[in-house]
Structures are given as structure tokens and as C-alpha cells.
Amino acid sequence: MPIIAPSILAADFANLQADVTMLNDSAADWIHVDVMDGVFVPNISFGLPVIKAIKKHAQKPLDVHLMIVQPERYLQAFKEAGADILTVHLEASTHLHRTIQEIKALGMQAGVAINPHTAISLLKDIVADIDLICLMSVNPGFGGQKFIENTFAKTSELASLLKVTNSKAKIEIDGGVNQANAPKLIAAGADVLVAGNFVFTAPKPKEVIQQLKSLA
Ligand code: DX5
Ligand code: ZN
């Protein structure tokens, strides 16, 4: 069964506690938390104090996706805010290997995200060291965008790379995930599905989460 990680970016920011409580009571496995700095991506979301507030109520691991430049400057701060899994972008960290080691030394699981234009082959020398690879299936920065179809091929390519390198890293798909593309993603090798708008714009979000969870 896939790991389902609803993205809090699509929640009601004026009533985050209610949405976190809903996720606690749902079949969701993780809570996906999107941090945007307005530099790496053309949008600003929220930062450390908001994550601390979410952590107070969350009963599920926080899967924090940093869409920020020089993420290495803030690893300890995100740990203290409550991140369980910390994902940085390959395109944003010059010394990615060191960044990964530091995330793990802080006691978090380490993830690497790649943009839609970034080749899977660039992950070859890092897959053995990481717990999660986040394949962006939209250009990061906004929720509610259209899924990029090339992600199916990239997921298969990554699954093969993990097999030959004997990596246990999980494959996470982030952006535009819905009930139509999820089965094909799981078939291609996806382990974790992030879903923002598909979950939070539904009249009954918990049912949508349960449906995603029951796929495959
Ligand atoms: C996009 C974020 C995604 C986003 C997904 O930059 O990384 O996690 O919240 O939202 P949907 O599912 O609406 O595309
Ligand atoms: Zn994300």
C-alpha cells in the first residue's frame, strides 16, 4: 500500500488545527509540509513557527519539503521545529552529500527532491545515502498545478536505478497527484504519494485519503 502524505499547503491556514486533526483521524501516513522562500521558487509559503504549531497537534510524522536556497543553513532549526523527514532540493544544495549526512546526524530521515527538468542519472552517487527521493511532478512553487506526464517514465527509471544500486530509498511523487494518475505511479514504483488540492478541495477529504491509500 502506498504511503499517503497530504500537503498542508492546501489546508485552511486560518484553521490549521482543524485540518491537522482531520489528518490525525484519517488514513494519512505523513503530513507533507512545503516550505518556500520566494528565491528558489517564485512563492513564499510559511516557515519555522508555523511548523512548530503544526507539530504540537500532529500525531503523524512531518515530511518537510524545503524549497529554499542553501537549505544547509537551517537543518538544525527544522529539526527543532519538528521535522521527522527533511528533504532538500538537489538544485539548491552545492554540497549535497554533506547536507544529507548532517540531516541524518540530527536524527531525521534525509530526502532529496529533483525538479521536473533534472535527470534521474544525477542521483546515482547519492541514492545509497538517502531515505527518500522526491520526484517533482510539477514545477515547485504552487499547489494545484497540472501533473507532468513525463513523471511516469522518470519513476520507472528511478525504480531501476534503486534496484541496481541496492538502495532502500522510497520514491515520493509530489504535484498534481490524483486518483487518475496514482495507480499508474504506484505501478511504476512510487512508494509515497503527496496530494494537496486533490485532498483538501474534496468535500470529504478523509474519504479521498482512504481511496488513495487503498489503490494498487
Ligand atoms: C509544490 C509542492 C507540493 C504541493 C502539491 O511546490 O511541493 O507539495 O503542495 O500540491 P498539489 O497536490 O495540489 O499539486
Ligand atoms: Zn512538496
Side-chain angles (χ1 to χ4, degrees), residues 48 71-83 86 102-103 106 108:
L48 297 158
E72 54 280 352
R73 295 168 65 204
Y74 295 100
L75 305 179
Q76 170 115 32
F78 281 102
K79 168 70 186 175
E80 284 165 9
L86 194 62
E102 288 179 2
I103 292 172
L106 286 164
M108 296 177 283

mmCIF file of all heavy atoms in Angstrom, residues 48 71-83 86 102-103 106 108:
data_model
loop_
_atom_site.group_PDB
_atom_site.id
_atom_site.type_symbol
_atom_site.label_atom_id
_atom_site.label_comp_id
_atom_site.label_asym_id
_atom_site.label_seq_id
_atom_site.Cartn_x
_atom_site.Cartn_y
_atom_site.Cartn_z
ATOM 1 N N LEU A 48 9.350 28.347 10.060
ATOM 2 C CA LEU A 48 9.551 27.581 11.290
ATOM 3 C C LEU A 48 8.443 27.713 12.343
ATOM 4 O O LEU A 48 8.014 26.693 12.888
ATOM 5 C CB LEU A 48 10.917 27.961 11.888
ATOM 6 C CG LEU A 48 12.096 27.589 10.978
ATOM 7 C CD1 LEU A 48 13.318 28.418 11.318
ATOM 8 C CD2 LEU A 48 12.392 26.105 11.096
ATOM 9 N N PRO A 71 19.732 25.216 1.838
ATOM 10 C CA PRO A 71 18.992 24.598 2.942
ATOM 11 C C PRO A 71 19.898 24.197 4.104
ATOM 12 O O PRO A 71 19.441 24.104 5.252
ATOM 13 C CB PRO A 71 18.350 23.364 2.288
ATOM 14 C CG PRO A 71 19.199 23.079 1.089
ATOM 15 C CD PRO A 71 19.671 24.417 0.604
ATOM 16 N N GLU A 72 21.190 23.993 3.823
ATOM 17 C CA GLU A 72 22.133 23.559 4.864
ATOM 18 C C GLU A 72 22.210 24.555 6.034
ATOM 19 O O GLU A 72 22.617 24.199 7.134
ATOM 20 C CB GLU A 72 23.527 23.291 4.273
ATOM 21 C CG GLU A 72 24.163 24.400 3.463
ATOM 22 C CD GLU A 72 23.657 24.507 2.027
ATOM 23 O OE1 GLU A 72 22.899 23.628 1.560
ATOM 24 O OE2 GLU A 72 24.022 25.500 1.371
ATOM 25 N N ARG A 73 21.779 25.776 5.796
ATOM 26 C CA ARG A 73 21.829 26.794 6.860
ATOM 27 C C ARG A 73 20.761 26.561 7.937
ATOM 28 O O ARG A 73 20.834 27.138 9.008
ATOM 29 C CB ARG A 73 21.628 28.189 6.263
ATOM 30 C CG ARG A 73 22.740 28.598 5.328
ATOM 31 C CD ARG A 73 22.349 29.835 4.542
ATOM 32 N NE ARG A 73 22.186 30.995 5.398
ATOM 33 C CZ ARG A 73 21.431 32.053 5.091
ATOM 34 N NH1 ARG A 73 20.773 32.081 3.951
ATOM 35 N NH2 ARG A 73 21.333 33.071 5.918
ATOM 36 N N TYR A 74 19.760 25.748 7.648
ATOM 37 C CA TYR A 74 18.593 25.674 8.540
ATOM 38 C C TYR A 74 18.254 24.263 9.035
ATOM 39 O O TYR A 74 17.170 24.052 9.553
ATOM 40 C CB TYR A 74 17.371 26.243 7.812
ATOM 41 C CG TYR A 74 17.493 27.711 7.503
ATOM 42 C CD1 TYR A 74 17.854 28.139 6.227
ATOM 43 C CD2 TYR A 74 17.262 28.664 8.495
ATOM 44 C CE1 TYR A 74 17.968 29.488 5.946
ATOM 45 C CE2 TYR A 74 17.372 30.013 8.224
ATOM 46 C CZ TYR A 74 17.735 30.423 6.944
ATOM 47 O OH TYR A 74 17.858 31.748 6.670
ATOM 48 N N LEU A 75 19.173 23.304 8.856
ATOM 49 C CA LEU A 75 18.824 21.913 9.175
ATOM 50 C C LEU A 75 18.453 21.738 10.643
ATOM 51 O O LEU A 75 17.440 21.137 10.977
ATOM 52 C CB LEU A 75 19.988 20.986 8.793
ATOM 53 C CG LEU A 75 20.465 21.104 7.333
ATOM 54 C CD1 LEU A 75 21.627 20.157 7.084
ATOM 55 C CD2 LEU A 75 19.328 20.868 6.355
ATOM 56 N N GLN A 76 19.277 22.274 11.522
ATOM 57 C CA GLN A 76 19.021 22.166 12.960
ATOM 58 C C GLN A 76 17.700 22.853 13.332
ATOM 59 O O GLN A 76 16.919 22.343 14.144
ATOM 60 C CB GLN A 76 20.185 22.837 13.711
ATOM 61 C CG GLN A 76 19.943 23.005 15.188
ATOM 62 C CD GLN A 76 20.913 22.180 16.015
ATOM 63 O OE1 GLN A 76 22.064 21.953 15.620
ATOM 64 N NE2 GLN A 76 20.452 21.695 17.140
ATOM 65 N N ALA A 77 17.459 23.993 12.720
ATOM 66 C CA ALA A 77 16.234 24.744 13.026
ATOM 67 C C ALA A 77 14.992 23.943 12.644
ATOM 68 O O ALA A 77 13.996 23.932 13.379
ATOM 69 C CB ALA A 77 16.254 26.081 12.292
ATOM 70 N N PHE A 78 15.056 23.244 11.505
ATOM 71 C CA PHE A 78 13.884 22.440 11.108
ATOM 72 C C PHE A 78 13.735 21.212 12.001
ATOM 73 O O PHE A 78 12.623 20.776 12.284
ATOM 74 C CB PHE A 78 13.935 22.084 9.620
ATOM 75 C CG PHE A 78 13.492 23.245 8.766
ATOM 76 C CD1 PHE A 78 14.407 24.045 8.105
ATOM 77 C CD2 PHE A 78 12.137 23.562 8.659
ATOM 78 C CE1 PHE A 78 13.990 25.146 7.359
ATOM 79 C CE2 PHE A 78 11.712 24.655 7.918
ATOM 80 C CZ PHE A 78 12.640 25.453 7.265
ATOM 81 N N LYS A 79 14.854 20.682 12.454
ATOM 82 C CA LYS A 79 14.782 19.570 13.413
ATOM 83 C C LYS A 79 14.060 20.051 14.680
ATOM 84 O O LYS A 79 13.136 19.411 15.175
ATOM 85 C CB LYS A 79 16.204 19.080 13.741
ATOM 86 C CG LYS A 79 16.297 18.140 14.926
ATOM 87 C CD LYS A 79 15.700 16.778 14.645
ATOM 88 C CE LYS A 79 15.691 15.911 15.896
ATOM 89 N NZ LYS A 79 15.016 14.634 15.670
ATOM 90 N N GLU A 80 14.480 21.198 15.170
ATOM 91 C CA GLU A 80 13.877 21.732 16.406
ATOM 92 C C GLU A 80 12.405 22.098 16.206
ATOM 93 O O GLU A 80 11.600 22.006 17.130
ATOM 94 C CB GLU A 80 14.677 22.940 16.907
ATOM 95 C CG GLU A 80 15.980 22.497 17.561
ATOM 96 C CD GLU A 80 16.998 23.618 17.764
ATOM 97 O OE1 GLU A 80 16.630 24.805 17.557
ATOM 98 O OE2 GLU A 80 18.145 23.307 18.110
ATOM 99 N N ALA A 81 12.050 22.471 15.004
ATOM 100 C CA ALA A 81 10.645 22.821 14.720
ATOM 101 C C ALA A 81 9.760 21.583 14.649
ATOM 102 O O ALA A 81 8.541 21.679 14.753
ATOM 103 C CB ALA A 81 10.564 23.604 13.420
ATOM 104 N N GLY A 82 10.391 20.405 14.431
ATOM 105 C CA GLY A 82 9.589 19.177 14.458
ATOM 106 C C GLY A 82 9.632 18.325 13.208
ATOM 107 O O GLY A 82 8.827 17.398 13.065
ATOM 108 N N ALA A 83 10.564 18.593 12.298
ATOM 109 C CA ALA A 83 10.646 17.764 11.086
ATOM 110 C C ALA A 83 11.115 16.354 11.431
ATOM 111 O O ALA A 83 12.052 16.182 12.219
ATOM 112 C CB ALA A 83 11.606 18.392 10.080
ATOM 113 N N LEU A 86 13.407 15.275 6.361
ATOM 114 C CA LEU A 86 13.768 16.585 5.823
ATOM 115 C C LEU A 86 14.320 16.403 4.406
ATOM 116 O O LEU A 86 15.301 15.702 4.197
ATOM 117 C CB LEU A 86 14.792 17.281 6.728
ATOM 118 C CG LEU A 86 14.998 18.775 6.455
ATOM 119 C CD1 LEU A 86 13.705 19.569 6.683
ATOM 120 C CD2 LEU A 86 16.102 19.350 7.354
ATOM 121 N N GLU A 102 24.436 15.573 7.432
ATOM 122 C CA GLU A 102 24.058 16.417 8.576
ATOM 123 C C GLU A 102 22.601 16.182 8.976
ATOM 124 O O GLU A 102 22.271 16.155 10.153
ATOM 125 C CB GLU A 102 24.321 17.895 8.250
ATOM 126 C CG GLU A 102 25.817 18.186 8.238
ATOM 127 C CD GLU A 102 26.187 19.633 7.910
ATOM 128 O OE1 GLU A 102 25.271 20.469 7.724
ATOM 129 O OE2 GLU A 102 27.396 19.904 7.819
ATOM 130 N N ILE A 103 21.738 16.012 7.987
ATOM 131 C CA ILE A 103 20.318 15.741 8.288
ATOM 132 C C ILE A 103 20.219 14.447 9.098
ATOM 133 O O ILE A 103 19.527 14.374 10.112
ATOM 134 C CB ILE A 103 19.484 15.630 6.987
ATOM 135 C CG1 ILE A 103 19.405 16.986 6.280
ATOM 136 C CG2 ILE A 103 18.081 15.094 7.277
ATOM 137 C CD1 ILE A 103 18.762 16.937 4.890
ATOM 138 N N LEU A 106 21.442 14.647 12.647
ATOM 139 C CA LEU A 106 20.477 15.333 13.522
ATOM 140 C C LEU A 106 19.315 14.419 13.908
ATOM 141 O O LEU A 106 18.428 14.812 14.662
ATOM 142 C CB LEU A 106 19.941 16.590 12.821
ATOM 143 C CG LEU A 106 20.912 17.784 12.751
ATOM 144 C CD1 LEU A 106 20.437 18.803 11.720
ATOM 145 C CD2 LEU A 106 21.062 18.436 14.115
ATOM 146 N N MET A 108 17.122 12.892 11.700
ATOM 147 C CA MET A 108 15.983 12.915 10.776
ATOM 148 C C MET A 108 16.265 11.975 9.607
ATOM 149 O O MET A 108 17.416 11.639 9.329
ATOM 150 C CB MET A 108 15.755 14.336 10.228
ATOM 151 C CG MET A 108 15.360 15.343 11.295
ATOM 152 S SD MET A 108 15.189 17.026 10.641
ATOM 153 C CE MET A 108 16.918 17.525 10.497
#
